[in-house]
Amino acid sequence: MAMAARMSVEQPLWSALTAYRVLTMGYALALYVHAYDAYTRPLGAGAYLAVLALWTLATVRRVSSAERCTPPFLAVELAVALTGILLTPVVDTQARIDAGGPTLPSIWTAGAVLGFAIKKGWRWAAGASLLVGAANVVAAGGFAQDTVHNVLLVCIASIAIGYVVEVARASERTLARALQIEAATRERERLARDIHDSVLQVLAMVQRRGAAIGGEAAELGRLAGEQEAALRTLVSSGVVPEVPAPRAAGSPSSPSSAASFAAAVPPPEEDGTCDVRALLSAYAGSRVSFAEPGAPVPLPAAAARELTAAVGAALDNVRRHARGPSGEEAQAWILLEDEPDAVVVTVRDDGPGIPPGRLEDAEAEGRMGVALSIRGRLRDLGGDAELVSVPGQGTEVELRVPKDDQHNQ
């Protein structure tokens, strides 16, 4: 799936931290230049800030992504910040410190703490904040009001960001798992459709024919019926066996084998499309009437085959469940329409119709012809299937496949 690549909300945070370090480094240099004459040892302060500037610029790429910003690097980053804080009383006057003057690294220090928050979460951010707070208290010579405010601000901000990052990571893991489950579910439904369209239908036919012939064939039919029931249970419970499932669907008048139907499928054109008329015409028979446009109805080959398989599933439901007034198999009609934005196929029969709630009961029992073989196929093509059934008046299934390339590729 296209979303297999890990989506991360962290990268914007690393980019923001990179910009923050550079901007606050410039701010610390500006403060130094502005108060140059106020320092007792301006050359010592300038030497530290030169190191800070070189470190910040040399490590820009290290802070630009989570992979390069390792915990040892963050430890060195924090050490640089702590050194600047503890060096402030040595190069600055006590009066300026008591008045709430900035430390040498100033607000650049918060970048080191935020790096721990983004990389390791709120607990590491809290630990780094405590170290910064302790260094500020030592540099100030006590718990000055401004010092406590600054320390609390950095601590709360870093813990909040660290917590948000942890929640975002948990959400990403949940989303990745949900995408995996969705992909697995779609694959399971695809396999279940193929099993329904081939293996289950063949087993059901063997069961009916064996019971009609009698003798040893009746025993074979009984075994086929048991296997059909077991396989339906597996499909409906979500555990799908790996069974070869060629595309197949027989007409109500004469169910065809998978091999014979596959042989009747024309190859795709050079542009990768198939004429839906040629595919659906294989279903025409004594009890199935097929009406088609006079011009070709092209669809991408994969979409055309899926649409044809859905029509086959609808006809199979007619063959298995619909009977006319005298007990004979119901008559079915296929109407193919080529609309400007979609290809529409309507399958109608003159059977007794479907009683209300029967589809839901069939799906609960594991008989998922409509749910998977019809609606599931159309959903995967970006289309839809609408079923209308009136008791005593037959059933009509309308299958619509959009011509939008993004659905049909």
Side-chain angles (χ1 to χ4, degrees):
M1 184 173 288
M3 302 192 68
R6 185 171 182 268
M7 300 177 300
S8 176
V9 298
E10 294 180 39
Q11 189 55 46
L13 295 177
W14 288 114
S15 300
L17 180 59
T18 302
Y20 178 86
R21 292 173 76 243
V22 174
L23 292 175
T24 53
M25 177 268 295
Y27 178 70
L29 291 177
L31 289 178
Y32 166 71
V33 173
H34 178 73
Y36 179 84
D37 294 334
Y39 286 100
T40 58
R41 294 180 176 83
L43 295 181
Y48 169 78
L49 289 170
V51 172
L52 180 67
L54 290 174
W55 169 261
T56 302
L57 297 177
T59 58
V60 166
R61 286 181 55 82
R62 292 294 298 270
V63 189
S64 61
S65 68
E67 293 75 16
R68 289 189 286 265
C69 191
T70 61
F73 167 78
L74 290 174
V76 176
E77 178 103 334
L78 183 61
V80 172
L82 296 176
T83 300
I85 295 173
L86 297 175
L87 188 61
T88 301
V90 178
V91 301
D92 206 350
T93 62
Q94 188 62 40
R96 273 173 42 85
I97 295 175
D98 294 340
T103 60
L104 286 177
S106 184
I107 58 176
W108 184 92
T109 304
V113 179
L114 293 176
F116 275 104
I118 300 173
K119 180 69 177 181
K120 303 295 290 184
W122 71 269
R123 294 174 180 83
W124 286 73
S129 298
L130 290 177
L131 292 177
V132 170
N136 275 280
V137 170
V138 171
F143 290 91
Q145 184 176 1
D146 291 340
T147 301
V148 173
H149 286 173
N150 293 335
V151 169
L152 286 178
L153 179 61
V154 172
C155 183
I156 293 173
S158 60
I159 290 176
I161 292 177
Y163 180 75
V164 169
V165 169
E166 290 186 1
V167 172
R169 286 174 180 157
S171 300
E172 288 174 3
R173 290 192 294 268
T174 302
L175 177 59
R177 179 59 180 162
L179 293 175
Q180 292 175 355
I181 293 174
E182 181 185 6
T185 300
R186 285 184 176 272
E187 180 64 11
R188 177 174 65 83
E189 290 182 356
R190 185 189 66 80
L191 293 175
R193 290 197 300 263
D194 290 343
I195 291 173
H196 177 274
D197 289 347
S198 57
V199 180
L200 293 178
Q201 293 183 15
V202 171
L203 290 175
M205 182 180 67
V206 171
Q207 181 186 20
R208 291 193 301 272
R209 294 289 179 85
I213 295 174
E216 294 183 357
E219 177 64 15
L220 179 62
R222 184 186 66 80
L223 294 175
E226 293 176 355
Q227 294 300 312
E228 180 195 10
L231 189 54
R232 286 189 185 277
T233 300
L234 288 173
V235 172
S236 62
S237 64
V239 182
V240 183
E242 295 183 1
V243 182
R247 310 282 184 198
S251 68
S253 59
S254 57
S256 61
S257 68
S260 62
F261 181 79
V265 175
E269 301 293 335
E270 292 184 359
D271 59 356
T273 63
C274 282
D275 186 356
V276 181
R277 300 181 308 168
L279 296 176
L280 295 182
S281 63
Y283 291 129
S286 60
R287 307 203 65 83
V288 178
S289 301
F290 177 47
E292 60 184 297
V297 183
L299 271 182
R305 294 191 179 97
E306 287 294 291
L307 175 61
T308 304
V311 172
L315 292 175
D316 182 67
N317 286 334
V318 175
R319 178 181 59 81
R320 296 178 60 186
H321 305 297
R323 290 290 183 271
S326 59
E328 76 281 2
E329 293 180 356
Q331 183 73 30
W333 293 267
I334 303 175
L335 172 62
L336 173 62
E337 299 175 272
D338 188 8
E339 297 184 353
D341 60 343
V343 173
V344 181
V345 180
T346 303
V347 180
R348 182 172 60 86
D349 66 71
D350 61 354
I354 302 176
R358 177 54 188 151
L359 291 179
E360 291 76 8
D361 295 340
E363 185 172 350
E365 295 168 2
R367 300 179 179 274
M368 296 175 286
V370 174
L372 289 180
S373 287
I374 300 178
R375 288 177 178 156
R377 291 185 189 277
L378 271 295
R379 180 199 63 200
D380 290 348
L381 295 175
D384 58 77
E386 182 178 354
L387 187 146
V388 177
S389 183
V390 178
Q393 299 183 22
T395 301
E396 181 177 295
V397 181
E398 183 181 276
L399 312 175
R400 176 179 294 270
V401 178
K403 294 181 178 179
D404 188 348
D405 292 338
Q406 66 180 349
H407 293 304
N408 297 331
Q409 294 299 331

